[in-house]
Amino acid sequence: MVTGKGGTGKTTVAGALALSLAADGRRVLLVEVEGRQGIAQLFDVPPLPYEERQVAVARDGGAVYALAVDPEAALLDYLETFYRLGRAGRSLERIGLVDFVTTVAPGLRDVLLTGKFAESVRRRRGNGYAYDAVVVDAPPTGRIARFLNVTSEVAGIARVGPVRTHADMVLGVIRSPQTAVHFVSLLEEMPVQETADGIAELEQTGIPVGAVLVNMVRERMLPTDQLRAAAAGQVDTDALADGLAKAGVDASDRTVEALAAELVDHAQRVGAEDEARKTIEALDNRVLELPFLPDGVDIGALHQLAARIEEQVNP
Amino acid sequence: MTERQRRSPRPTTLDVDALLTDRATRIVVCCGSGGVGKTTTAAALGLRAAELGRSTVVLTIDPARRLAQSMGLAELDNIPRRVPGVDTSNGGDLEAMMLDMKRTFDEIVEAHTDPRRAGQILANPFYQSLSAGFAGTQEYMAMEKLGQLRAADEWDLIVVDTPPSRSALDFLDAPERLGRFLDGRFIRLLVGPARSGGRAYVRMLTAGFGLVTGALTKVLGTQLLKDAQTFVTALDTMFGGFRERADATYQLLQASGTAFLVVAAPEPDALREASYFVERLARDRMPLAGLVLNRVHRAAAATVSGSRARLGAERSIAAAETLEELGSGPLAAAVLRLHADRVVLETRERRLRDGFTAAHPRVPIVEVPAMPNDVHDLVGLRSVGTALTP
């Protein structure tokens, strides 16, 4: 499971994680549950139907499949799978049961969404599992504990009965050691705070917490002491002008001043990142870092990010 | 490339001060996808409006703890409180509040039914689930609270933040979705054919009434079905009130005193959501004031006149490589590489912005530079306010 505050690049990280897990000929399913078609955008493929489709290849015959789970389709799927309600299922849709379940009863909706990927985790293919790994681009940090802790969400509504039984099966998968919930964060105060809160909340539910994936980390261009000085506004402009002249570029005062201002800004950001990193390191979770890519994320960049994950997981 | 840039349409600049000081502006709604700085923008707009002389209230949804504290908001209590430290010398002032979604919902229930029935509804497990987490309840309640604040008419200006939805459009749809559900046939089936009258009953029969109720019991279980029945029966009594309020709020949003600001960051996802939002507002005839583009990076050196051509990304990298080969000028080499990254980032952000403008040429934009640190005090909010009005 990959969660994170809005704007942290949760979908990108989920995609990179799926690619890294698919390396060496493995099959990975990447699931999206929020109806945003973020995976299709990320892998630059047409919008995904409610159907597993290959979206990328990985090293040595590995493959990433993707599925966009839609609550309405998941409900009809559920009715068909568990009750064989062909005609009656469609009647239920016509009378607005689908609206009811997917809109007004949030606990029920989440059971359907989580139920779909719980099923794909357990699905068999030949002698093994259909997928070596299932990666879920899960709802954001603020909602993740509620989303995954389905039994308690439906407990008030369904104390007994078929919905409860299904919810218990789903939670069994989610709570098992096969599952890990990874948090995507930036080295900024608010996302870090939300990550800490989200981890604390999830730990109370007994759902296994995985790593913190710190995204968009700036490359350090200078040694720490020079960055500290620059953050305080101290830049050796003479040395800078000298270097620029040696490199044969414009070394006028205006250019030197403007470049020095960029360095000060960079150094201040790096300083703020270091503060945020202290909080993340105090969390006691494994931390992985992914670089900031100024030119955005395309398929090539996604493979680069996947490689960075692999390097850190299997050094 | 330069030629192409020159030909692509340039956005007009959004004049935020003119919007805030216009006495006709009574409501500013900040909307956009999650993580783009909506709450900070709303707070900064409120502060600026107050210091420009308007009596302002800011309705925030889920502010970061330190930002909330800086505005004197210790808890979620639905009561607007005066923000300390605001410059009131121009005759304005600032109050702020955090939305308590559940309490707002409870109040609606209490306002629309008798105490006995209200008690039944509030205790129903379906209501509790709905009021705490309905994908849309927060949006709906934010709009409800906005309607209440406007009706109270104690402020010249209401600035409202919208919830961090999956989709920025949710808050426009939420009241309608709830209305559609309450109007739907599933409700009629649960409440019983008596309410819906003969025709629906006949339709239901043709759909296979027995088959459907049988299936429902099988899927949902008897107890769940019974709770749902009790809940919707109770809700049904308030339905007229719900619909009326949702309609009133919707009209309020269309009124000329309302201004929508779409907030985004120069990222593909955020701008895509912003685009959808602009289109949706136009379709619903909601008054759009413009786009606030937060976290924009500008390479300072590129703004030095004439230096852009000489110090682009490739030129900078080549110069850095020269120095690295020479083994001298490490500071200049690092600064050049840094600058190259900034130029690449700036170019990408500009391309994304121009893509938006090409699709929506008449939407004015104001760009707010990325700040090196998070904003969590009035000084920070004031500087965001200044950045919003270049």
Side-chain angles (χ1 to χ4, degrees):
Chain A
M1 309 280 176
V2 180
T3 182
K5 180 176 159 39
T8 57
K10 170 172 75 72
T11 303
T12 303
V13 172
L17 184 62
L19 274 179
S20 72
L21 289 168
D24 304 324
R26 283 171 296 196
R27 285 166 60 91
V28 174
L29 179 66
L30 178 58
V31 182
E32 115 181 314
V33 294
E34 291 185 289
R36 281 190 306 123
Q37 289 293 341
I39 295 174
Q41 301 279 356
L42 185 66
F43 286 92
D44 198 16
V45 295
L48 296 166
Y50 182 72
E51 190 184 287
E52 289 154 35
R53 292 228 159 140
Q54 186 169 344
V55 291
V57 290
R59 195 171 61 227
D60 293 337
V64 175
Y65 293 78
L67 169 69
V69 185
D70 158 51
E72 297 185 12
L75 175 62
L76 294 177
D77 192 11
Y78 168 86
L79 295 175
E80 185 53 38
T81 312
F82 291 91
Y83 300 99
R84 311 233 167 270
L85 284 182
R87 202 175 134 221
R90 282 194 299 277
S91 306
L92 293 177
E93 185 181 18
R94 272 207 302 276
I95 61 160
L97 173 75
V98 176
D99 267 349
F100 172 72
V101 169
T102 57
T103 308
V104 178
L108 296 183
R109 188 196 54 196
D110 289 350
V111 171
L112 288 168
L113 296 174
T114 50
K116 183 62 196 169
F117 58 73
E119 179 273 321
S120 63
V121 169
R122 289 160 28 125
R123 196 187 313 155
R124 313 286 302 191
R125 177 169 173 259
N127 291 327
Y129 286 108
Y131 291 104
D132 296 292
V134 176
V135 176
V136 181
D137 179 8
T141 317
R143 228 170 71 71
I144 189 69
R146 288 184 81 105
F147 176 72
L148 294 177
N149 201 16
V150 281
T151 303
S152 80
E153 276 304 298
V154 298
I157 298 175
R159 279 178 290 272
V160 290
V163 173
R164 178 56 187 260
T165 310
H166 185 63
D168 285 344
M169 178 284 283
V170 173
L171 195 63
V173 173
I174 292 174
R175 277 220 185 112
S176 80
Q178 287 182 297
T179 298
V181 182
H182 302 300
F183 284 76
V184 182
S185 184
L186 303 179
L187 289 177
E188 285 173 19
E189 199 179 313
M190 266 199 280
V192 166
Q193 187 58 50
E194 272 200 26
T195 300
D197 293 349
I199 289 174
E201 201 185 340
L202 206 59
E203 274 169 350
Q204 285 176 0
T205 66
I207 297 169
V209 177
V212 176
L213 291 133
V214 181
N215 196 16
M216 304 189 207
V217 177
R218 260 162 247 275
E219 197 184 336
R220 262 114 238 267
M221 298 289 190
L222 284 169
T224 309
D225 55 331
Q226 283 187 51
L227 283 174
R228 287 228 177 95
Q234 293 158 18
V235 179
D236 186 346
T237 45
D238 291 343
L240 180 55
D242 231 37
L244 292 177
K246 263 191 207 133
V249 295
D250 175 36
S252 66
D253 286 354
R254 279 166 73 185
T255 301
V256 169
E257 239 169 69
L259 287 173
E262 287 182 9
L263 176 60
V264 169
D265 183 81
H266 170 76
Q268 284 175 351
R269 281 167 209 274
V270 168
E273 287 190 354
D274 286 342
E275 282 304 308
R277 186 179 277 112
K278 280 184 204 156
T279 315
I280 285 187
E281 279 166 358
L283 286 176
D284 225 29
N285 293 79
R286 178 170 200 171
V287 180
L288 272 64
E289 295 202 356
L290 294 171
F292 178 65
L293 303 169
D295 206 13
V297 178
D298 57 10
I299 294 279
L302 208 54
H303 278 279
Q304 275 178 38
L305 293 176
R308 294 293 281 266
I309 292 175
E310 272 194 82
E311 281 161 28
Q312 293 173 73
V313 174
N314 312 306
Chain B
M1 185 66 196
T2 322
E3 270 307 305
R4 258 185 66 195
Q5 272 176 357
R6 221 169 271 152
R7 266 186 280 127
S8 68
R10 305 260 316 162
T12 49
T13 303
L14 172 66
D15 190 343
V16 171
D17 270 354
L19 178 73
L20 294 180
T21 52
D22 183 352
R23 298 264 154 198
T25 309
R26 302 295 307 273
I27 295 173
V28 172
V29 184
C30 297
C31 46
S33 55
V36 295
K38 258 190 322 242
T39 305
T40 306
T41 301
L45 289 169
L47 178 62
R48 187 153 184 100
E51 296 192 334
L52 286 170
R54 301 201 69 189
S55 160
T56 309
V57 62
V58 177
L59 168 57
T60 65
I61 306 299
D62 190 15
R65 214 166 300 158
R66 284 175 67 184
L67 177 65
Q69 280 165 3
S70 76
M71 298 185 77
L73 296 171
E75 57 190 321
L76 217 107
D77 62 359
N78 259 354
I79 301 166
R81 293 181 193 281
R82 182 167 301 262
V83 178
V86 176
D87 174 7
T88 55
S89 60
N90 284 323
D93 58 51
L94 182 63
E95 294 190 12
M97 64 166 279
M98 267 194 276
L99 179 72
D100 180 338
M101 166 173 75
K102 177 145 176 41
R103 189 177 300 191
T104 306
F105 209 153
D106 291 355
E107 284 165 6
I108 304 179
V109 170
E110 283 157 359
H112 284 282
T113 189
D114 59 81
R116 192 184 56 87
R117 211 183 287 254
Q120 281 175 356
I121 295 176
L122 299 189
N124 185 281
F126 268 93
Y127 173 76
Q128 287 168 357
S129 166
L130 175 67
S131 61
F134 164 37
T137 305
Q138 210 176 22
E139 287 79 4
Y140 187 29
M141 292 307 125
M143 289 304 107
E144 168 65 26
K145 191 43 91 179
L146 170 63
Q148 289 176 13
L149 291 175
R150 184 65 186 82
D153 205 20
E154 288 173 34
W155 303 272
D156 308 337
L157 180 68
I158 303 166
V159 180
V160 57
D161 175 23
T162 54
S165 319
R166 157 186 76 83
S167 152
L169 308 176
D170 280 358
F171 85 87
L172 281 178
D173 293 326
E176 199 206 315
R177 235 185 320 157
L178 191 63
R180 200 178 60 213
F181 163 66
L182 290 171
D183 222 3
R185 278 193 283 168
F186 178 62
I187 286 257
R188 294 182 198 178
L189 182 65
L190 286 175
V191 177
R195 175 204 161 208
S196 53
R199 281 184 56 208
Y201 188 51
V202 172
R203 269 206 306 273
M204 204 66 77
L205 279 176
T206 57
F209 188 78
L211 185 66
V212 169
T213 41
L216 272 178
T217 312
K218 198 168 162 192
V219 174
L220 298 172
T222 329
Q223 172 252 332
L224 197 150
L225 195 60
K226 199 168 143 275
D227 278 342
Q229 232 155 4
T230 319
F231 173 57
V232 295
T233 308
L235 210 56
D236 189 47
T237 62
M238 314 192 305
F239 173 64
F242 263 77
R243 201 1 96 74
E244 231 169 72
R245 288 172 97 96
D247 287 349
T249 306
Y250 197 81
Q251 279 165 20
L252 182 63
L253 292 176
Q254 285 179 327
S256 61
T258 300
F260 279 85
L261 285 176
V262 177
V263 186
E267 288 297 330
D269 286 348
L271 278 170
R272 203 163 39 236
E273 292 276 308
S275 248
Y276 288 142
F277 210 96
V278 166
E279 285 154 25
R280 175 65 199 270
L281 289 172
R283 205 164 59 238
D284 285 27
R285 287 177 288 119
M286 303 271 176
L288 170 69
L291 177 79
V292 174
L293 197 56
N294 277 333
R295 308 209 181 120
V296 174
H297 296 86
R298 284 282 170 266
T303 61
V304 174
S305 76
S307 69
R308 177 191 294 279
R310 274 172 287 153
L311 212 49
E314 282 167 31
R315 179 95 177 84
S316 299
I317 290 170
E321 279 168 357
T322 307
L323 288 173
E324 282 151 8
E325 275 161 30
L326 287 171
S328 73
L331 176 65
V335 168
L336 284 164
R337 284 197 178 275
L338 193 64
H339 176 66
D341 276 358
R342 295 282 291 239
V343 173
V344 168
L345 180 60
E346 183 192 338
T347 308
R348 169 172 177 262
E349 290 183 352
R350 205 181 284 276
R351 198 170 58 229
L352 288 165
R353 183 205 66 188
D354 289 347
F356 177 88
T357 295
H360 310 284
R362 276 191 291 273
V363 177
I365 300 181
V366 63
E367 295 182 21
V368 180
M371 314 258 166
N373 293 298
D374 276 356
V375 172
H376 35 59
D377 54 20
L378 291 192
V379 177
L381 286 179
R382 223 167 258 137
S383 65
V384 174
T386 310
L388 276 163
T389 51

